[in-house]
Amino acid sequence: MDQFRDLFVKLDQNQDGFISVAELHSEMNKHGIFSAEGKVQNIIDSYDKDSNGLLDYAEFLRYMMDREKKWKIHFENIDKNKCGGIDQDDVVSLFKDLGVVISKTNAKKIIQMMDKDSSMTVDWGEFLHHVILNPVDDIGELVSSWKHNLVFDVGESRAMPIEFPEGESGLGAWRTFVLSAGFADVISRTVTAPIDRLKTQFQVHGSRALSQGLREMRSGGVRSMWQGNAVNVLKGTPQSTLQCLIYAQMKVHTQNKTQQTLTVQQRFGLGCVSGAAAHAVFYPLEVLKVRLNLQQAGTYRGVLACARSIYRHESLSSFYRGFKPSILCMIPYAGVECAVHQSIMNWAKSNPAYNSNSQLFFFSFVAFASGQMTSYPLAVIRTQQQAQAFCSDSRASSGVLPGLMGIYEKYGLKGYYNGMGASFVRAIPCALINYTLTRTFEDMLASNES
């Protein structure tokens, strides 16, 4: 009973002798458990005998003992070799029994969610602590809750999920995560570079983009379709990592302050701030990418030559040309994508019928599309302003409103979404490559470290 008393004291954060819904949520979030509000409220309603909306120790003890009785059999079934603990192989086997293939790297993440003594095995006490905090009703729901910690991401310019997996900690975990996502990002950006360049051409040249692209390919060869990819690769993963770090730190600070899970509005705000900050730091590389994408092959001898040319013949401010619409674009894009993504995923967690890999991928694409549609006109203005210094097709404008009016006059309403189709087409293979290769590289790095 001592472990039950210790857990109760830990959950009773304000030391008033009762546990509230907010206190349960706070402890769950610390362990990477994000449960639907209704599930937590059901615990309170089921065991709150005096109907005060809180659980005292006797009421919480009944809940814990019911969970102990129910989950002891499940623990013994998961522990295939009957050694008194669950390891990575047991997790892989459990997923396999339910028709889901999972890598050992992801199985390790699940173990780390429950493993308090860093033994890389989960004994009965650690497992019981987890299922007391995780209000799932059966093994299927438990596996579903674990699976939702393995995040999909289809963001156009982000290789990794906005939220770093909760179960990971330490420099080693960050190194493996960032290197795996980085390697996958390099390959996915390189494979889809021609589509990305076509999107940029559409944003500047409109309906003439295809004929412009064909002319450049005839003069520069197939290799010209990858012009600007090097700077895109140099920009992608560092920006994603910085955004992930900023978001994670602000999330921890906010949750420690409120002692509650993040609301949709808070996720939107944190997504806006982290996305805008990371974007501002790496914006000059975005300018270089657009410049290389739009110039004919052979105009510059690489990224450094392009940067030197801008510095000598224009000015330092040219590296931030189009920054105002760009930052205005990034704020709703990052905020809306993050808020929609997390809201849909939280809903899916409470609906096991919607947790297959294909459905999760579709939900992430919906979040990406939502962010794109709310911000894409500003992205078109940004690209056109970046192209003003050298592209005659780009109408000069001194601000966001003149830019919007200029696009409407030249192309009509459809001009605000020039290239968005190419952006969506690129996002699907890019995300599939990222997801598949990230898991592969994680497994390779993990096996080398062991």
Side-chain angles (χ1 to χ4, degrees):
M1 294 296 176
D2 287 344
Q3 63 173 326
F4 291 161
R5 169 62 73 175
D6 291 341
L7 179 56
F8 180 83
V9 171
K10 186 177 182 180
L11 289 170
D12 181 18
Q13 296 173 355
N14 60 4
Q15 299 181 346
D16 63 352
F18 297 95
I19 296 174
S20 65
V21 171
E23 288 171 332
L24 267 176
H25 263 306
S26 176
E27 188 65 20
M28 288 175 178
N29 294 345
K30 291 177 184 177
H31 291 270
I33 301 167
F34 298 92
S35 183
E37 186 79 33
K39 284 270 190 181
V40 180
Q41 189 62 55
N42 284 341
I43 296 174
I44 302 292
D45 294 342
S46 300
Y47 292 90
D48 177 23
K49 300 304 179 184
D50 52 11
S51 301
N52 64 348
L54 303 168
L55 297 183
D56 59 26
Y57 178 66
E59 292 166 340
F60 190 64
L61 181 61
R62 279 195 293 274
Y63 166 67
M64 290 188 285
M65 293 181 72
D66 284 349
R67 299 295 282 179
E68 181 180 33
K69 186 185 302 182
K70 178 175 183 175
W71 283 94
K72 181 66 174 177
I73 296 174
H74 290 312
F75 176 82
E76 292 172 350
N77 289 335
I78 298 172
D79 178 20
K80 299 292 186 183
N81 55 11
K82 308 303 177 188
C83 65
I86 299 172
D87 56 21
Q88 295 176 47
D89 291 333
D90 291 326
V91 173
V92 172
S93 179
L94 173 62
F95 272 79
K96 185 177 180 180
D97 290 343
L98 295 174
V100 179
V101 177
I102 184 175
S103 67
K104 281 202 170 184
T105 299
N106 283 331
K108 178 182 176 182
K109 293 177 184 177
I110 292 170
I111 292 293
Q112 289 175 324
M113 286 176 60
M114 302 178 279
D115 179 25
K116 292 194 276 186
D117 59 6
S118 300
S119 64
M120 288 312 301
T121 59
V122 177
D123 61 28
W124 165 238
E126 292 168 331
F127 184 78
L128 178 60
H129 183 274
H130 180 75
V131 294
I132 285 173
L133 292 176
N134 195 354
V136 293
D137 295 324
D138 52 44
I139 282 290
E141 281 193 32
L142 180 64
V143 168
S144 177
S145 73
W146 288 344
K147 190 165 64 172
H148 280 286
N149 281 282
L150 313 177
V151 184
F152 285 97
D153 174 52
V154 296
E156 179 186 34
S157 45
R158 195 173 69 237
M160 58 189 66
I162 185 69
E163 296 194 50
F164 184 71
E166 297 274 344
E168 298 281 355
S169 61
L171 286 175
W174 271 104
R175 184 179 65 250
T176 299
F177 181 70
V178 172
L179 285 177
S180 301
F183 290 149
D185 183 51
V186 169
I187 295 172
S188 66
R189 286 177 186 273
T190 302
V191 170
T192 60
I195 307 176
D196 189 51
R197 190 175 187 205
L198 180 62
K199 178 198 72 176
T200 305
Q201 298 275 7
F202 268 115
Q203 289 177 335
V204 175
H205 301 301
S207 59
R208 296 176 54 246
L210 286 174
S211 59
Q212 180 79 14
L214 287 173
R215 279 199 304 270
E216 292 184 3
M217 191 166 67
R218 280 196 294 267
S219 62
V222 175
R223 185 179 177 183
S224 65
M225 296 304 294
W226 276 265
Q227 185 167 298
N229 182 59
V231 70
N232 193 28
V233 166
L234 289 173
K235 167 183 171 285
T237 299
Q239 181 174 327
S240 301
T241 305
L242 180 61
Q243 183 179 354
C244 188
L245 280 167
I246 295 171
Y247 184 95
Q249 292 302 311
M250 291 193 301
K251 176 188 170 187
V252 170
H253 174 75
T254 303
Q255 288 184 328
N256 287 341
K257 187 176 180 179
T258 63
Q259 297 298 316
Q260 293 180 350
T261 187
L262 295 180
T263 64
V264 173
Q265 294 85 351
Q266 287 171 326
R267 291 184 186 280
F268 177 85
L270 297 187
C272 287
V273 174
S274 59
H279 186 66
V281 171
F282 291 95
Y283 187 77
L285 293 177
E286 175 71 21
V287 173
L288 291 175
K289 185 195 87 168
V290 171
R291 184 71 62 98
L292 289 166
N293 275 346
L294 294 174
Q295 292 283 48
Q296 288 188 345
T299 303
Y300 301 110
R301 293 184 177 180
V303 177
L304 291 179
C306 181
R308 280 196 298 267
S309 176
I310 294 174
Y311 177 71
R312 289 173 181 172
H313 300 105
E314 298 173 44
S315 65
L316 281 175
S317 62
S318 294
F319 288 103
Y320 278 86
R321 187 188 295 272
F323 180 71
K324 186 183 293 185
S326 183
I327 205 72
L328 291 175
C329 163
M330 178 53 66
I331 289 174
Y333 170 72
V336 169
E337 185 190 14
C338 184
V340 172
H341 183 273
Q342 293 303 318
S343 298
I344 292 177
M345 288 305 179
N346 286 340
W347 168 78
K349 290 175 188 180
S350 60
N351 293 272
Y354 297 98
N355 61 13
S356 69
N357 287 348
S358 59
Q359 287 168 321
L360 291 179
F361 188 87
F362 173 75
F363 294 151
S364 277
F365 186 81
V366 169
F368 162 69
S370 301
Q372 280 277 293
M373 287 187 290
T374 57
S375 62
Y376 199 82
L378 291 167
V380 175
I381 298 174
R382 172 203 66 197
T383 305
Q384 291 204 357
Q385 288 189 359
Q386 290 170 347
Q388 283 170 11
F390 61 93
C391 185
S392 60
D393 282 0
S394 180
R395 177 187 291 256
S397 63
S398 57
V400 175
L401 187 57
L404 287 170
M405 294 173 63
I407 292 172
Y408 181 77
E409 291 172 4
K410 190 171 184 179
Y411 301 110
L413 285 175
K414 67 178 183 179
Y416 294 130
Y417 293 93
N418 279 339
M420 192 169 75
S423 182
F424 284 175
V425 169
R426 175 183 178 269
I428 296 174
C430 192
L432 289 172
I433 293 169
N434 266 325
Y435 177 68
T436 303
L437 292 183
T438 296
R439 293 202 304 175
T440 302
F441 287 133
E442 278 184 337
D443 289 339
M444 290 171 57
L445 291 170
S447 62
N448 288 338
E449 287 178 359
S450 60

